[in-house]
Amino acid sequence: MGHWTTLDTPHGRIAAWQADPAGVPRGALVVVQEIFGVNAHIRSVAEGFALEGYAVLAPAYFDVVEPGVELGYDADGVERGRALRTAVGLDRANDITRAAADALAASHHRVGTVGYCWGGTVALLAALRLGLPSASYYGARNLPFLDEPPRAPVMFHFGDQDDSIPPDMVQAHRDKLPQMEVFTYPAGHGFNCDLRADYEPSSARLARERTLDFFARNLA
């Protein structure tokens, strides 16, 4: 179903995984990667949303500093992914999200974003700064941006056993953005990813159901 394509951005041309639905799209989504690149897991996530009727692009954000990165979920992958995340930066990431959303918007009426881990914060910024309805999964770097006025709705998903996002950080989302939906699950960080040790299938399934309902409401 999916295939590699290219995406023009303000920071040069990058790769993106494109997945299209079988029929007329019900909307479009930018899928924002974890720190491990557009690997097999992110490609499968993109294709899963295409099966639900969405046209999807998953940009390879790290291409602006190092093309073709696909990392594993081991200590070496985490270390390298963190370095690449820092090298790209959130401002460039926001530009890439905008470019992907603009490419999708040329053919589809409404575009949203869904992001995981580092991508969860990139997705939050898409709602705050780009006006794109967004689902943010366990974004550990959200806190500095919660005082920005949102331009679109955003839904948050967190694991209540996530050491990188303690309960007070989750509560800050409820306090600062009370109009937004914030959900917690009996899981750790990365609970949506079936390649991680913290994968929790029941939580992943419920979060996905809520995310699909969110986009059905906000991209109609």
Side-chain angles (χ1 to χ4, degrees):
M1 180 184 299
H3 59 89
W4 288 107
T5 187
T6 57
L7 176 67
D8 290 320
T9 81
H11 308 287
R13 181 169 288 187
I14 66 171
W17 188 256
Q18 179 177 335
D20 296 311
V24 176
R26 62 192 302 174
L29 293 174
V30 180
V31 171
V32 190
Q33 63 176 68
E34 305 166 306
I35 63 169
F36 305 97
V38 182
N39 57 12
H41 168 65
I42 292 298
R43 297 195 297 270
S44 72
V45 168
E47 293 181 13
F49 282 114
L51 287 172
E52 296 292 339
Y54 293 94
V56 181
L57 282 177
Y61 287 77
F62 289 173
D63 273 12
V64 297
V65 295
E66 184 178 335
V69 172
E70 293 188 36
L71 303 176
Y73 293 90
D74 56 7
D76 290 342
V78 171
E79 182 179 4
R80 188 172 170 212
R82 286 173 174 170
L84 289 166
R85 170 200 70 198
T86 300
V88 172
L90 289 171
D91 288 338
R92 281 203 287 188
N94 199 53
D95 290 342
I96 293 167
T97 304
R98 187 196 304 270
D102 287 348
L104 289 166
S107 303
H108 310 289
H109 179 57
R110 292 296 306 277
V111 181
T113 78
V114 54
Y116 306 86
C117 185
W118 176 71
T121 298
V122 177
L124 168 61
L125 291 178
L128 297 177
R129 299 178 180 180
L130 303 180
L132 301 176
S134 299
S136 170
Y137 281 69
Y138 33 82
R141 286 158 184 79
N142 293 355
L143 213 57
F145 308 107
L146 296 182
D147 289 318
E148 294 188 24
R151 295 175 53 195
V154 56
M155 171 183 282
F156 298 100
H157 303 287
F158 298 104
D160 62 14
Q161 299 164 29
D162 186 342
D163 292 338
S164 67
I165 309 174
D168 61 316
M169 287 180 61
V170 175
Q171 186 60 40
H173 290 70
R174 296 188 173 103
D175 294 341
K176 292 178 177 291
L177 294 172
Q179 72 275 43
M180 304 306 178
E181 296 171 288
V182 181
F183 296 105
T184 59
Y185 304 85
H189 190 79
F191 67 80
N192 184 71
C193 178
D194 58 3
L195 300 179
R196 285 177 178 257
D198 278 332
Y199 176 56
E200 209 296 297
S202 296
S203 298
R205 184 167 51 252
L206 179 55
R208 176 180 170 81
E209 290 171 358
R210 287 167 168 166
T211 295
L212 288 170
D213 176 69
F214 172 84
F215 287 127
R217 288 184 276 120
N218 289 289
L219 297 182

